[in-house]
Amino acid sequence: MAIRSFFLFILFFSSSLSPVFSLYEDQVGLMDWHQQYIGKVKQAVFSSQRAGRKRVVVSTEENVIASLDLRHGEIFWRHLLGADDVIDGIDIGLGKYVITLSSGGSILRSWNLPDGQMVWESSLQGPKHSKSFLLVPTNLKFDKDNVLVVFSNGRLHAISCIDGEVLWKKDFEAESFEVQQVILPPGSDLIHVVGFAALSQFEMYQINAKNGELLKHESASFSSGFSGQVSLVSTETVVALDSTGSILLTISFQDGKISSQQTPISNLVEDSLGPAVIIPSSVSGIFAIKTDAVPIFIRVIGKGNLEVVEKTTHEIAVSDALSISEDQQAFALIQHASSEIHLTVKLAHDWDGNLLKESVKMDRQRGLVHKVFINNYIRTDRSYGFRVLIVMEDHSLLLLQQGEIVWSREDGLASIIDVTTSELPVERDGVSVAKVEHNLFEWLKGHMLKLKGTLMLASPEDMAAIQSMRLKSSEKSKMTRDHNGFRKLLIVLTRAGKLFALHTGDGRIVWSYLLRSLHKSEACQSPIGLNLYQWQVPHHHAMDENPSVLVVSRCGPSSDTSGVLSFVDTYTGKELSSLSLDHAVVQVIPLPYTDSTEQRLHLLIDADKHAHLYPKTSGALSIFKREFSNIYWYSVEDQNGIIKGHALKCKCTGEVADEFCFDTRDLWSVVFPSESEKTIATVTRKLNEVVHTQAKVVADQDVMYKYISRNLLFVATVAPKGSGEIGSVTPEESWLVAYLIDTVTGLILHRVTHHGSQGPVHAVFSENWVVYHYFNLRAHRYEMSVIEIYDQSRADNKDVWKLVLGKHNLTSPISLFSRPEVITKSQSYFFTHSLKAIAVTSTAKGITSKQLLLGTIGDQVLALDKRFLDPRRTVNPTQLEKEEGIIPLTESLPIIPQSYVTHALRVEGLRGIITVPAKLESTTLVFAHGVDLFFTQLAPSRTYDSLTEDFSYALLLITIVALVAAIFVTWRLSERKELQEKWR
Amino acid sequence: MAPIARLLLLALLSTALTISSGSGDGYTINGRVKIPQGLGTKGFALPGKTSNVKVILNGGQIVTYLRPDGYFSFQNIPAGTHLIEVAAIGYFFSPVRVDVSARNPGKVQAALTENRRGLSELVLEPLRDEQYYEIREPFSIMSVVKSPMGLMVGFMLVVVFLMPKLVENMDPEEMRRAQEEMRNQGVPSLASLLPGGGRN
């Protein structure tokens, strides 16, 4: 009894801490890592400040503006604009403000260059949609104010650089006028606006930059019309293409008079065939066209005489012009050779001479150069040096200087499409191990330091030593499998079509591979990666095989273009093989079967509703045939609001006999009335989720059986009116309906309507429950609801005998007309924040309690115990229920700051949260990705099966030593005492 | 035109008003985020950095940043009931419900959704600051005593020092019997000290 109460006493102390996930500040970085990215650079502007650190300001396709350190490529500051607020242009004003134009030219913002603080914001309206231009003249002043010139939405604005005030504006209301260029000739107070009107009219407006007064308006008509863009070759000359793309028009408007000259391309290039396109560039005197994917550089001599200067067959990238002195412009040109790139810097008026010619070795996995930005600096010997920033096909950003790569950023990781994991190799002889283990003395020394730390005796130097020791721990970044399953490879597929393998220990890139099958080719015009699947996970039979992943991609944006499969080895990062399919890939269904080499069976559904089995081996086919009648799947047609269930019918009855192709049949369909419901979210359980037990013991020794089925689908629909943004609909005309549908029979198991609610809906399905997040318009707050579904048919099975022999739903026929006896319980709570993503923790055996991971609008990830979303919560739980762990019901869900998984960090632009079980039952690995990446380990019910990282072995050792010493001392004392007693 | 615009801007700043009808088809919501000095400055690096504070309309429809003085504005907002959220690391802000009515523009209708408190002007202040880390408690005797190791030592001490006292307080008769028993057994064992164990 005494011992029992003693243990209870210990338990009481160890369990009295409240938040489950909590971190001390010095534990940051021990189990988590955070990486910041920006995305593929669209535009880069170099800061020309003489003093201080050199910076480059960039805007990216992820809609980020960032200021980077030019020396090392680190981020000084970074802002992610809203999804609808796409950046159109950036520039630097007055040397200290970053100016951004966004939202189709309707929002202009100014940011402080050193710290990224927004200075002002102004909204620019206009009569109609148009191209937008942002120009920052260096010498244009207006009452000592520097002026920005912005053309957007059919209106020309002059805006003060200091406070964003509009100084004057001028509308270009002519219905058909389409602006092509806005030109500021240096050293004058004029603005030229040129464009096309009515397809064949060239228009030129000359405007006084001081007050927006229209000085001149000239127009000329060209019967042949125009196509595409224009290229500016000088401040008074533009080059355009006619509508057939075969004649170049050189239009000059010197002194307000329009004159032109026509040159057929065939005069310049003999063997040109197809129509040409103008490649936008701003180098004066030179422009580039592209015919049949061959870039041709053409020089303009005098008034409209054209001359071909270079015709290359290589892939080529050209930078914008950089003026290096009064009348000299330089530009950079990059050409590809096999494993090198050649950088040349030329002067605009002197094509044949090179200012600089360098060759740089380039990793083939980076692909082609997509963009070049040039910057110059003055060397110590007063000559000009050049550095270029290049954007590669894999979205990475590199700085080249003096023939070397100074730094590189893997910004492809900012746009992850899909994630999967792979195990590391098993530790064996010959498998490289990162470092030899410390010797015992060092180990002890380390632990003595730690002990000093816990006893608060350590000096600041000691503390620093402890911290660095903990962070550097070679254990976690080894390249072999560990006992706890913490070390894994995260395989990610990025939008650029590159695969990366990241080590979970420290987030470093182990290998990367630019998928060759995602390269542009004749057959595949614009390939895009879709999904990643685990293809081969050897564990029992094929131990010597390396695991591999399957990358599914297709050749174009629409779903009926043909698909491409690639198989990539996850240890080496090499492509094992790739298959160009002759059918489309609409849906991929990983089947829970593996063949003799542990390759997983996948069923690919094409646009004609044929099912194709992969891998195409006879072994796979025989396994598949055995399970032929057990394979069901569903498809969701968003536009029509139809959900359909499918099954296999027979072999393809096509023209070619293909053993691996099967016809399918529709089993059932659920049609939502299109006038009142629109599908906005569908969620199923994760395929690999493990459920420990079906039974749930409730307070009074009663048992409830969870209704666990892999075939449950959660569907949320809203009123079509309420599918827009919040605030666009009144509570009366909006509702949200949640369904639980069995995907084998098509039976609707549960349906609930939330009146006065609307989307967006974020939902997660696990075990027998679904949690979803939506907006309640009546309360004007977000709400989260939980639905739990229980099997009633087994409710009478109270004891073991009945459990074995009693009633269960396995014997009942599976049909739409036999309703399973289920009951559902649900409850709703308020939740403060908007959500971007939702996930649930998953563990190896499913014993550990679950936590919900909520990606909030502030780009943080909050862990919330599932116990807070328990439909059995009541306002006053009974004593028994309290013992069971039921929390008293509250109106809203608590937000405990210590349970933010991301602690004080932000996962900027959060898009998804992935959880992977570790081998250790208590622990789950969490990977959150957006523009940033974040990884951590979570223990939803604390690490009950292992010692925590900060467990002090030294303290244990000292206690044991002290106990042993005490035993010996007391032994001696008692012996002596006994002796004395005997003498007495 | 320019001076008028400047005057208007001044008027906006001086009254911190919420809604004004904009030049386009929608309305403009102006407001201010105020982070009190001295709140939540402990624990993390630069919590009050206003350059990273985002103001979000309707769950991500529009995102804007703060000006140096804490003001923000949303332009071209249609009439209706909107939701404004403030995302700032280190602070907990309640979302705000803002009514933009077409009938009487300029009228302020804002309320915190967390506690349903109405706002007379759109000045958003954090409800509380957020501590993301546990505070390491300074070294104390109690924490050592409470640790499993401390409990073990404590238990041992109890056995070593209190048990003999208990033995002393026993009836002399019983004591003698116990001693006799002990002599029969030889070395005293722990089992004989425990209740129930000594009766074998």
Side-chain angles (χ1 to χ4, degrees):
Chain A
M1 192 63 214
I3 290 177
R4 199 172 156 194
S5 59
F6 173 68
F7 277 117
L8 280 178
F9 188 60
I10 290 177
L11 273 177
F12 170 72
F13 274 110
S14 56
S15 63
S16 60
L17 300 149
S18 52
V20 177
F21 178 85
S22 56
L23 203 66
Y24 295 106
E25 196 165 3
D26 51 42
Q27 289 176 325
V28 171
L30 283 184
M31 286 175 311
D32 54 274
W33 46 263
H34 181 231
Q35 294 175 352
Q36 295 189 313
Y37 294 103
I38 51 176
K40 185 184 183 184
V41 170
K42 261 196 315 201
Q43 204 183 347
V45 184
F46 293 89
S47 144
S48 55
Q49 264 177 329
R50 290 272 170 271
R53 297 168 85 173
K54 293 266 182 287
R55 292 153 193 272
V56 57
V57 179
V58 295
S59 71
T60 73
E61 285 178 4
E62 290 295 322
N63 224 13
V64 169
I65 47 163
S67 161
L68 305 178
D69 185 346
L70 206 48
R71 291 261 151 75
H72 307 105
E74 286 149 15
I75 298 169
F76 280 124
W77 54 263
R78 175 182 63 158
H79 293 301
L80 178 67
L81 302 187
D84 300 335
D85 197 12
V86 178
I87 302 165
D88 303 312
I90 57 166
D91 212 331
I92 293 178
L94 290 178
K96 58 182 178 185
Y97 299 118
V98 177
I99 315 290
T100 62
L101 185 67
S102 58
S103 280
S106 52
I107 297 177
L108 189 69
R109 292 191 182 94
S110 163
W111 314 81
N112 204 357
L113 180 58
D115 62 357
Q117 169 77 52
M118 192 176 86
V119 185
W120 50 259
E121 178 184 51
S122 45
S123 138
L124 308 173
Q125 256 91 47
K128 58 169 191 177
H129 187 74
S130 77
K131 275 192 191 176
S132 48
F133 297 90
L134 167 68
L135 299 162
V136 182
T138 45
N139 51 357
L140 191 62
K141 287 205 174 174
F142 182 85
D143 287 351
K144 291 179 192 165
D145 242 8
N146 269 62
V147 176
L148 309 170
V149 178
V150 177
F151 191 97
S152 69
N153 294 324
R155 188 179 279 177
L156 185 68
H157 307 258
I159 291 156
S160 158
C161 196
I162 306 293
D163 53 8
E165 210 182 293
V166 177
L167 302 172
W168 54 258
K169 53 192 174 196
K170 169 90 185 80
D171 282 4
F172 291 82
E173 274 166 3
E175 203 39 52
S176 59
F177 179 71
E178 254 182 80
V179 66
Q180 291 295 337
Q181 285 287 344
V182 178
I183 308 147
L184 281 170
S188 76
D189 286 346
L190 299 174
I191 300 172
H192 292 150
V193 178
V194 298
F196 305 140
L199 294 171
S200 60
Q201 195 91 353
F202 180 80
E203 307 258 341
M204 194 278 291
Y205 296 86
Q206 200 174 56
I207 283 153
N208 187 344
K210 295 269 183 212
N211 50 19
E213 201 185 317
L214 179 65
L215 297 176
K216 231 176 232 172
H217 174 204
E218 293 281 327
S219 66
S221 81
F222 293 86
S223 53
S224 52
F226 302 100
S227 70
Q229 287 178 298
V230 300
S231 184
L232 197 64
V233 288
S234 78
T235 54
E236 286 162 332
T237 316
V238 294
V239 175
L241 271 168
D242 79 335
S243 53
T244 61
S246 58
I247 298 171
L248 284 166
L249 305 165
T250 319
I251 306 162
S252 75
F253 38 93
Q254 215 162 13
D255 309 320
K257 284 192 190 63
I258 299 177
S259 59
S260 72
Q261 196 165 346
Q262 300 192 356
T263 318
I265 293 176
S266 51
N267 286 8
L268 299 168
V269 193
E270 280 113 43
D271 50 351
S272 92
L273 296 164
V277 199
I278 288 190
I279 303 169
S281 101
S282 74
V283 184
S284 74
I286 289 169
F287 66 95
I289 57 169
K290 204 170 187 178
T291 67
D292 301 331
V294 177
I296 300 165
F297 290 87
I298 298 170
R299 178 158 50 189
V300 182
I301 308 161
K303 266 197 166 182
N305 293 319
L306 304 181
E307 182 191 56
V308 174
V309 285
E310 190 157 338
K311 185 181 163 191
T312 66
T313 47
H314 298 289
E315 282 291 335
I316 199 161
V318 194
S319 76
D320 278 356
L322 168 86
S323 51
I324 48 173
S325 64
E326 280 290 297
D327 54 350
Q328 281 191 315
Q329 278 190 326
F331 66 97
L333 219 136
I334 289 189
Q335 276 170 298
H336 277 268
S338 57
S339 65
E340 281 185 333
I341 55 167
H342 300 299
L343 163 71
T344 38
V345 177
K346 293 174 193 280
L347 285 175
H349 60 264
D350 179 19
W351 183 271
D352 302 318
N354 293 335
L355 277 180
L356 185 78
K357 197 169 167 74
E358 284 169 355
S359 299
V360 184
K361 267 222 160 339
M362 188 57 66
D363 184 0
R364 283 194 161 200
Q365 301 306 333
R366 294 197 187 280
L368 304 174
V369 176
H370 274 189
K371 279 198 167 95
V372 190
F373 304 97
I374 185 170
N375 180 227
N376 64 333
Y377 59 94
I378 294 166
R379 292 213 194 98
T380 40
D381 61 351
R382 303 210 158 205
S383 62
Y384 282 110
F386 294 94
R387 50 169 94 90
V388 291
L389 204 58
I390 56 174
V391 182
M392 305 297 292
E393 191 179 357
D394 69 342
H395 298 187
S396 60
L397 182 70
L398 297 95
L399 184 80
L400 306 184
Q401 192 173 334
Q402 291 174 342
E404 269 177 62
I405 299 170
V406 182
W407 50 260
S408 62
R409 291 181 57 86
E410 292 292 346
D411 278 305
L413 287 170
S415 41
I416 289 177
I417 296 173
D418 204 1
V419 184
T420 186
T421 55
S422 162
E423 294 290 345
L424 283 159
V426 185
E427 194 166 339
R428 259 180 295 187
D429 289 340
V431 173
S432 71
V433 178
K435 222 192 272 175
V436 182
E437 294 300 317
H438 299 286
N439 59 36
L440 185 72
F441 176 68
E442 270 180 34
W443 182 83
L444 255 178
K445 210 169 89 180
H447 278 287
M448 281 312 287
L449 263 176
K450 265 193 191 173
L451 179 69
K452 269 169 98 179
T454 42
L455 296 179
M456 304 275 165
L457 297 169
S459 63
E461 294 96 81
D462 287 348
M463 288 303 272
I466 295 168
Q467 194 66 13
S468 68
M469 196 174 67
R470 295 164 86 180
L471 292 179
K472 265 200 303 227
S473 151
S474 63
E475 253 321 275
K476 69 174 187 182
S477 56
K478 264 197 218 168
M479 279 302 296
T480 52
R481 216 174 281 187
D482 65 333
H483 189 67
N484 291 335
F486 293 162
R487 293 199 296 263
K488 280 185 200 300
L489 286 179
L490 290 167
I491 314 288
V492 301
L493 175 66
T494 65
R495 198 168 294 151
K498 197 174 187 181
L499 274 184
F500 288 90
L502 305 176
H503 195 287
T504 55
D506 52 4
R508 72 176 189 277
I509 296 167
V510 178
W511 52 260
S512 61
Y513 179 73
L514 189 69
L515 286 166
R516 208 148 293 144
S517 55
L518 285 178
H519 238 52
K520 253 186 223 173
S521 64
E522 290 283 310
C524 213
Q525 280 302 321
S526 55
I528 42 169
L530 292 177
N531 286 104
L532 268 177
Y533 298 92
Q534 290 188 333
W535 179 251
Q536 199 175 15
V537 187
H539 56 282
H540 289 311
H541 307 299
M543 224 32 199
D544 298 330
E545 303 263 343
N546 288 358
S548 54
V549 289
L550 164 69
V551 186
V552 180
S553 41
R554 67 167 166 240
C555 285
S558 78
S559 65
D560 52 358
T561 50
S562 62
V564 182
L565 304 183
S566 346
F567 306 93
V568 179
D569 185 324
T570 62
Y571 287 174
T572 60
K574 298 275 180 302
E575 188 163 350
L576 299 171
S577 62
S578 81
L579 279 175
S580 284
L581 307 181
D582 49 5
H583 57 84
V585 181
V586 177
Q587 211 175 350
V588 181
I589 301 155
L591 300 172
Y593 317 114
T594 56
D595 70 358
S596 55
T597 56
E598 300 262 338
Q599 292 186 8
R600 298 206 171 169
L601 270 59
H602 287 72
L603 206 56
L604 270 60
I605 313 295
D606 69 9
D608 305 325
K609 294 193 175 168
H610 291 300
H612 301 265
L613 175 71
Y614 290 89
K616 291 195 171 186
T617 59
S618 55
L621 195 63
S622 65
I623 295 166
F624 184 72
K625 286 228 171 106
R626 230 179 292 145
E627 304 290 342
F628 195 77
S629 58
N630 271 336
I631 293 164
Y632 298 91
W633 70 95
Y634 70 94
S635 62
V636 182
E637 289 170 31
D638 274 335
Q639 284 83 25
N640 314 331
I642 300 175
I643 297 176
K644 277 185 184 162
H646 310 275
L648 295 161
K649 198 161 76 182
C650 57
K651 262 197 196 130
C652 273
T653 51
E655 50 288 351
V656 198
D658 184 356
E659 276 190 291
F660 301 95
C661 169
F662 300 92
D663 276 342
T664 64
R665 61 196 161 108
D666 290 357
L667 282 179
W668 52 264
S669 60
V670 175
V671 184
F672 298 110
S674 60
E675 66 277 7
S676 64
E677 290 182 40
K678 184 176 185 293
T679 324
I680 55 165
T682 53
V683 180
T684 53
R685 271 177 62 191
K686 254 206 268 184
L687 276 174
N688 54 0
E689 191 186 55
V690 183
V691 180
H692 176 61
T693 173
Q694 199 190 352
K696 183 177 177 181
V697 181
V698 294
D700 41 353
Q701 303 291 310
D702 212 352
V703 184
M704 290 174 83
Y705 292 93
K706 299 172 187 169
Y707 184 82
I708 289 167
S709 161
R710 289 204 182 280
N711 307 314
L712 281 186
L713 173 71
F714 168 83
V715 181
T717 64
V718 288
K721 260 190 166 177
S723 57
E725 305 285 348
I726 295 165
S728 60
V729 68
T730 59
E732 287 72 34
E733 51 193 15
S734 180
W735 54 84
L736 185 144
V737 193
Y739 295 88
L740 286 178
I741 298 174
D742 188 317
T743 57
V744 173
T745 60
L747 181 71
I748 296 173
L749 289 170
H750 184 65
R751 178 180 190 274
V752 60
T753 309
H754 299 272
H755 289 284
S757 295
Q758 71 167 129
V761 170
H762 295 274
V764 63
F765 207 135
S766 171
E767 297 198 348
N768 66 326
W769 50 264
V770 59
V771 167
Y772 53 104
H773 176 272
Y774 54 92
F775 193 71
N776 181 336
L777 284 160
R778 285 187 210 281
H780 218 75
R781 294 176 79 173
Y782 284 99
E783 248 179 33
M784 277 171 90
S785 282
V786 56
I787 301 175
E788 291 192 354
I789 176 160
Y790 290 97
D791 190 351
Q792 268 312 93
S793 63
R794 304 178 67 172
D796 307 329
N797 303 343
K798 293 288 190 261
D799 57 30
V800 179
W801 281 113
K802 277 196 177 158
L803 198 65
V804 176
L805 304 168
K807 211 177 136 196
H808 51 80
N809 61 7
L810 292 178
T811 47
S812 60
I814 294 170
S815 150
L816 179 57
F817 305 108
S818 77
R819 198 172 178 82
E821 292 173 54
V822 294
I823 53 160
T824 52
K825 291 167 181 268
S826 61
Q827 212 166 54
S828 302
Y829 321 86
F830 287 127
F831 185 73
T832 309
H833 299 298
S834 303
L835 287 193
K836 284 186 166 179
I838 184 167
V840 65
T841 58
S842 56
T843 53
K845 302 265 186 299
I847 299 167
T848 310
S849 62
K850 303 258 176 193
Q851 273 185 340
L852 291 166
L853 299 172
L854 311 171
T856 65
I857 190 80
D859 294 326
Q860 291 171 291
V861 179
L862 180 74
L864 185 71
D865 232 272
K866 169 66 179 55
R867 287 189 301 157
F868 287 108
L869 288 129
D870 184 345
R872 292 174 56 235
R873 280 175 75 183
T874 49
V875 181
N876 286 312
T878 61
Q879 192 58 37
L880 277 170
E881 283 176 331
K882 266 187 201 159
E883 266 177 31
E884 194 199 324
I886 287 186
I887 304 162
L889 182 62
T890 46
E891 185 193 53
S892 56
L893 296 169
I895 291 174
I896 306 158
Q898 282 92 341
S899 53
Y900 276 109
V901 174
T902 48
H903 42 95
L905 299 171
R906 257 183 187 172
V907 188
E908 203 73 51
L910 182 69
R911 270 191 294 261
I913 303 168
I914 284 109
T915 60
V916 185
K919 261 188 221 146
L920 198 66
E921 169 55 29
S922 67
T923 312
T924 168
L925 310 177
V926 178
F927 180 59
H929 64 90
V931 175
D932 289 354
L933 310 181
F934 180 81
F935 175 87
T936 192
Q937 293 170 14
L938 266 191
S941 334
R942 311 190 139 259
T943 48
Y944 54 81
D945 48 6
S946 75
L947 293 171
T948 54
E949 192 275 336
D950 54 349
F951 181 81
S952 174
Y953 288 93
L955 192 63
L956 178 72
L957 218 67
I958 286 174
T959 318
I960 291 169
V961 169
L963 279 173
V964 169
I967 287 169
F968 274 102
V969 169
T970 45
W971 183 297
R972 274 292 161 82
L973 284 177
S974 74
E975 260 187 352
R976 192 183 291 171
K977 203 174 169 190
E978 218 167 288
L979 194 67
Q980 274 173 355
E981 215 141 272
K982 277 181 181 163
W983 274 109
R984 202 146 11 119
Chain B
M1 187 60 217
I4 297 168
R6 193 168 283 165
L7 262 177
L8 223 146
L9 197 80
L10 272 177
L12 293 188
L13 291 178
S14 57
T15 55
L17 91 169
T18 6
I19 298 149
S20 62
S21 64
S23 51
D25 39 6
Y27 299 85
T28 302
I29 301 176
N30 289 301
R32 186 175 182 193
V33 173
K34 217 166 157 184
I35 295 175
Q37 293 300 308
L39 192 71
T41 41
K42 51 190 182 293
F44 18 153
L46 295 170
K49 221 180 149 188
T50 52
S51 65
N52 284 328
V53 176
K54 280 184 204 173
V55 188
I56 300 151
L57 185 82
N58 292 343
Q61 187 187 358
I62 308 180
V63 179
T64 191
Y65 288 83
L66 297 183
R67 287 185 206 139
D69 49 7
Y71 284 90
F72 66 87
S73 64
F74 291 110
Q75 260 125 10
N76 281 331
I77 308 300
T81 310
H82 300 278
L83 189 78
I84 293 177
E85 287 170 278
V86 180
I89 290 283
Y91 300 99
F92 179 81
F93 281 88
S94 163
V96 183
R97 161 200 182 125
V98 178
D99 293 302
V100 177
S101 87
R103 249 169 283 156
N104 39 2
K107 206 178 160 229
V108 180
Q109 273 278 16
L112 298 181
T113 61
E114 278 293 285
N115 49 19
R116 301 193 179 88
R117 191 160 60 81
L119 293 177
S120 57
E121 47 182 13
L122 199 54
V123 177
L124 313 180
E125 289 181 63
L127 287 188
R128 54 179 185 265
D129 58 336
E130 290 191 324
Q131 289 290 345
Y132 299 115
Y133 302 113
E134 293 283 296
I135 307 293
R136 268 216 196 273
E137 280 162 36
F139 177 69
S140 73
I141 295 296
M142 266 323 276
S143 70
V144 169
V145 172
K146 272 185 190 170
S147 74
M149 245 63 87
L151 288 170
M152 229 158 89
V153 172
F155 181 71
M156 205 181 71
L157 288 177
V158 166
V159 171
V160 170
F161 292 105
L162 287 180
M163 278 300 187
K165 285 270 158 58
L166 285 175
V167 173
E168 268 169 37
N169 291 345
M170 271 200 294
D171 191 42
E173 284 274 303
E174 228 171 284
M175 177 90 138
R176 204 170 305 136
R177 221 184 318 141
Q179 268 175 352
E180 235 159 64
E181 228 169 74
M182 241 185 264
R183 229 165 269 140
N184 292 345
Q185 275 181 350
V187 185
S189 71
L190 186 72
S192 60
L193 287 173
L194 286 173
R199 228 166 287 137
N200 52 350

